[in-house]
Amino acid sequence: AAFWSGEIKAERFYSVVLEFPEPVLKVRLEQKCELLLDAQTLYLRAIRFGDAHTAAVAGLRIGRLYETLYDLIVTLKPPSDLNAEESAVYLDEVRARVLVLVKKALKVYERSLQVGRATPSAAPWVVELEAAVARVREVYLAHAQDAAP
């Protein structure tokens, strides 16, 4: 039940659209983050009460929420009142500030992968988790170097 409740919160998370103007973005980002945390709580409950198969799937879902939020934020077009130079600075700053989301996604994916590898029934999820770890690790390493002073 906790897993499926997490799925419902995740669907609500995916339905919130981030867009400017800033007051709208602020409200929607708050909603989206709240739904992410609610879904995460439910998925973690499913992990505690479930088996390794459930843990692998729930971990994949949590990581995907963080990864999606990162992608949505960094691909959001800068405010229209910024010139090209200001837009570049804005995007660099946004990437640096939300890199923590990629780090969280990577951490969850890696932990879930460890659990999933221990359970033969989780094999399909292990394949997805391995791909997710590789994808997110590449993003993290590329942007962590850019964000380093």
Side-chain angles (χ1 to χ4, degrees):
F3 179 83
W4 293 111
S5 295
E7 292 284 89
I8 291 168
K9 291 290 185 177
E11 282 302 314
R12 290 180 185 159
F13 165 88
Y14 290 115
S15 71
V16 176
V17 177
L18 299 180
E19 61 187 356
F20 284 100
E22 189 176 334
V24 171
L25 179 62
K26 187 175 182 178
V27 168
R28 290 186 183 172
L29 188 56
E30 183 71 31
Q31 289 173 331
K32 204 161 194 67
C33 290
E34 193 172 304
L35 288 165
L36 183 151
L37 293 174
D38 289 347
Q40 176 180 264
T41 298
L42 291 162
Y43 286 135
L44 290 173
R45 187 175 301 149
I47 289 170
R48 279 195 303 276
F49 295 119
D51 57 9
H53 178 95
T54 301
V57 177
L60 181 63
R61 297 294 202 272
I62 293 169
R64 191 172 291 151
L65 289 168
Y66 281 107
E67 185 178 1
T68 299
L69 184 58
Y70 172 84
D71 289 341
L72 289 171
I73 292 171
V74 299
T75 59
L76 193 61
K77 289 187 178 190
S80 58
D81 60 338
L82 299 180
N83 64 34
E85 185 179 320
E86 292 168 332
S87 290
V89 170
Y90 171 85
L91 291 173
D92 287 343
E93 186 65 25
V94 166
R95 276 191 206 97
R97 288 181 182 236
V98 297
L99 191 61
V100 67
L101 297 171
V102 174
K103 190 174 181 179
K104 285 181 183 262
L106 183 58
K107 187 175 175 182
V108 171
Y109 284 150
E110 287 174 336
R111 285 184 179 169
S112 300
L113 185 57
Q114 289 174 340
V115 171
R117 284 181 174 153
T119 304
S121 69
W125 304 115
V126 167
V127 171
E128 279 191 59
L129 285 162
E130 287 172 339
V133 166
R135 181 181 61 249
V136 173
R137 184 176 288 145
E138 185 176 314
V139 170
Y140 180 74
L141 291 174
H143 293 297
Q145 291 172 349
D146 292 343

